[in-house]
Amino acid sequence: MDNQATQTMLQAVEAAKASARKAESTYSAGVSKINRLASQQIRLGVGTAVSQVSDIASTVRRVNDDYFAAFQTLVAMLDSQCRPLLAYNPEVFAIREVRDTIKWLNDESEIKTTFSASVNDSSRGDVAAVSYVPTMENKMIQKFWETVYDTHPGKDKFEQAERQKAQMQKESIENRVKAENDAYKKSYETALAAWSEKRAEIQKKREAEVKRELEQLKKDRKQDIEKRYAQSLKNGQNHKTFCENKKKGHERALAKLGFFNFAKKREAKEGIKISICGIAEAERMIETAERVYQKETAELDAWIRAQKAVLEEKVRKKYPMPKKPRKQTAYTVPQKIVDESTRQEIYEAMEPGRKYTMAELMDTVPALADMTQTRVSGHLRQMIDVDIERIEEDRTVYFRLIEV
């Protein structure tokens, strides 16, 4: 008979809770209606102000009356169903369930609510206020069940068993979480070692290619400078030799002319003058070639440094670094372990260098498909500056993996 009484009590508790949830749903719908009414502006002089205020006040009272009555009725009903079963010695945990449910129903029956409205665009404060407290009879019912539970001979043993059970559950969770954290740590360390080795290999390959190409560039650049210098120098020297020979030819011709060959003398002298200018020009060409050669030779190292930056960017794209394994935080709370797993999925789904909007991430990561944007945003906030960076371009927010 004990088990039957216990089962009947628990069924009565579940029925009361189901009825309470239904009453809460009805109350929520009523509150939504009140909020819509109260959010409307009440304008004097149009003939509806009084009816609007009256409608709000009556709706407030009706909604809260129904809610209060439902919960207080459930207290009396649950007491009337369960009190006779005490004669059949129900289990102590069933008595505690009845006590807790009655206390919750009475606590929820304490209501204090006000609603405000505005008249002619100016707030007029509260237009309706309600205040409810549990009835004295129901407070006495609550006190009765508290006394029944507190004086039950099996209470101490039951609570001790509950504490032991809770401790065992806590230890079980801690052990499971520790095992998961230890397994992850081992897996992470293995993955990190493999990543470090691969990264070093790629870095070595990058440096070797940059060094090889830089040496070739330096060699080619130096040859080009020397080739242009030699050609400029040759051109200057050839021009100088040509002008010197012309000058000598004019001088010899001038020496052979007689006293009266004035026209030819002038012509020879003009040729000598032009040749002297040509020699000066050739010497300037040689000097310019020297200056350009010295300048380009001096700037060779700076040019190589600039080419090195270009080559490093080229090999960075040619040999991309592998994605670094994500280090998860060790948690002892199961829900936080689930959250960390979700962030791990986000990290693994993102491609290095690519920018994602929140909508694109929700489409890309299966774990985010059924989440609200608020929850997804919460996960991303936890990852910013640790795993990802937030970028804002043209009023659009993007997320990108932090490159290591």
Side-chain angles (χ1 to χ4, degrees):
M1 198 62 182
D2 292 351
N3 289 335
Q4 184 61 42
T6 299
Q7 185 178 358
T8 304
M9 268 192 176
L10 294 177
Q11 289 173 348
V13 167
E14 287 304 314
K17 288 180 178 179
S19 297
R21 285 193 291 271
K22 185 176 179 181
E24 284 180 328
S25 178
T26 303
Y27 178 75
S28 296
V31 169
S32 297
K33 180 180 178 181
I34 295 168
N35 286 331
R36 285 196 303 273
L37 293 172
S39 65
Q40 297 173 356
Q41 292 182 341
I42 302 172
R43 296 189 175 278
L44 299 176
V46 296
T48 61
V50 175
S51 63
Q52 282 182 276
V53 174
S54 178
D55 193 17
I56 293 172
S58 63
T59 304
V60 168
R61 284 191 294 272
R62 177 177 55 77
V63 169
N64 286 279
D65 283 349
D66 291 346
Y67 183 75
F68 176 78
F71 272 65
Q72 288 295 281
T73 301
L74 287 172
V75 171
M77 286 177 59
L78 185 59
D79 176 63
S80 64
Q81 290 171 338
C82 296
R83 189 177 294 209
L85 297 173
L86 293 174
Y88 300 101
N89 298 322
E91 296 289 341
V92 65
F93 68 85
I95 296 174
R96 188 183 66 175
E97 283 296 311
V98 175
R99 180 204 68 173
D100 292 346
T101 304
I102 288 175
K103 183 179 184 304
W104 173 69
L105 291 169
N106 274 337
D107 288 344
E108 288 297 308
S109 298
E110 291 190 15
I111 306 169
K112 188 172 183 180
T113 307
T114 58
F115 290 88
S116 60
S118 60
V119 178
N120 290 348
D121 298 325
S122 178
S123 176
R124 287 295 179 266
D126 300 337
V127 297
V130 293
S131 180
Y132 298 84
V133 294
T135 64
M136 182 57 67
E137 292 80 1
N138 286 350
K139 287 184 178 180
M140 292 175 67
I141 290 173
Q142 178 180 329
K143 185 64 178 176
F144 169 78
W145 282 98
E146 289 172 351
T147 303
V148 169
Y149 176 74
D150 290 339
T151 58
H152 194 284
K155 173 197 169 187
D156 293 339
K157 184 177 180 181
F158 168 71
E159 290 186 346
Q160 183 180 2
E162 286 283 284
R163 287 192 295 270
Q164 290 175 348
K165 182 180 177 181
Q167 182 62 29
M168 290 176 63
Q169 288 177 340
K170 180 183 177 183
E171 290 174 357
S172 175
I173 291 173
E174 289 176 349
N175 291 335
R176 177 171 63 85
V177 170
K178 184 179 183 301
E180 290 179 1
N181 285 332
D182 289 345
Y184 168 74
K185 183 179 179 182
K186 184 177 180 180
S187 173
Y188 171 74
E189 289 173 350
T190 302
L192 186 64
W195 173 80
S196 298
E197 184 178 345
K198 184 68 175 176
R199 189 173 186 275
E201 178 186 336
I202 291 175
Q203 186 62 30
K204 187 177 179 181
K205 190 178 293 186
R206 285 180 176 182
E207 291 173 354
E209 183 159 328
V210 168
K211 182 180 179 182
R212 184 174 62 253
E213 293 203 21
L214 274 180
E215 288 175 351
Q216 187 61 44
L217 281 172
K218 186 174 183 180
K219 180 181 177 182
D220 294 344
R221 179 74 172 177
K222 194 169 183 180
Q223 287 178 348
D224 180 61
I225 291 172
E226 290 177 349
K227 183 179 179 181
R228 284 186 286 106
Y229 169 65
Q231 186 62 47
S232 298
L233 197 62
K234 182 180 178 181
N235 292 340
Q237 289 172 343
N238 289 342
H239 188 58
K240 183 178 180 181
T241 301
F242 173 78
C243 291
E244 285 176 344
N245 290 335
K246 291 288 288 183
K247 178 175 176 287
K248 288 178 182 178
H250 289 305
E251 286 174 346
R252 284 194 299 270
L254 183 63
K256 293 178 181 180
L257 293 173
F259 181 76
F260 296 104
N261 291 323
F262 299 110
K264 289 184 178 181
K265 284 181 179 181
R266 282 196 302 272
E267 184 179 340
K269 289 178 180 179
E270 186 66 25
I272 292 170
K273 185 178 180 181
I274 292 172
S275 296
I276 291 172
C277 290
I279 292 169
E281 181 184 359
E283 289 175 347
R284 285 194 298 273
M285 288 172 63
I286 294 170
E287 289 175 1
T288 300
E290 290 284 354
R291 283 197 304 272
V292 170
Y293 176 74
Q294 295 296 333
K295 181 175 181 292
E296 290 185 340
T297 302
E299 292 175 348
L300 183 60
D301 289 340
W303 184 85
I304 290 296
R305 285 195 296 272
Q307 294 305 308
K308 183 180 180 181
V310 173
L311 285 173
E312 286 175 344
E313 179 63 20
K314 177 184 172 183
V315 298
R316 188 184 70 81
K317 294 178 179 178
K318 185 177 179 180
Y319 303 111
M321 286 293 181
K323 187 189 294 186
K324 184 179 180 180
R326 181 173 180 267
K327 186 175 183 180
Q328 299 181 10
T329 305
Y331 286 116
T332 57
V333 181
Q335 181 56 45
K336 289 190 176 181
I337 296 174
V338 173
D339 293 342
E340 190 65 19
S341 175
T342 300
R343 292 167 200 151
Q344 180 68 23
E345 285 191 45
I346 296 172
Y347 183 82
E348 292 176 355
M350 295 178 73
E351 298 176 7
R354 179 181 168 184
K355 293 181 292 187
Y356 296 81
T357 63
M358 187 185 297
E360 287 172 339
L361 283 174
M362 293 176 74
D363 291 336
T364 304
V365 185
L368 305 182
D370 297 328
M371 288 189 187
T372 63
Q373 286 196 355
T374 302
R375 285 196 64 194
V376 174
S377 178
H379 284 302
L380 295 175
R381 278 197 303 273
Q382 294 295 321
M383 297 175 70
I384 290 174
D385 296 334
V386 179
D387 303 309
I388 62 175
E389 56 183 342
R390 183 181 184 275
I391 305 167
E392 190 168 342
E393 294 179 357
D394 298 327
R395 299 183 181 179
T396 302
V397 175
Y398 297 94
F399 301 93
R400 181 174 62 192
L401 285 177
I402 295 176
E403 186 172 345
V404 180

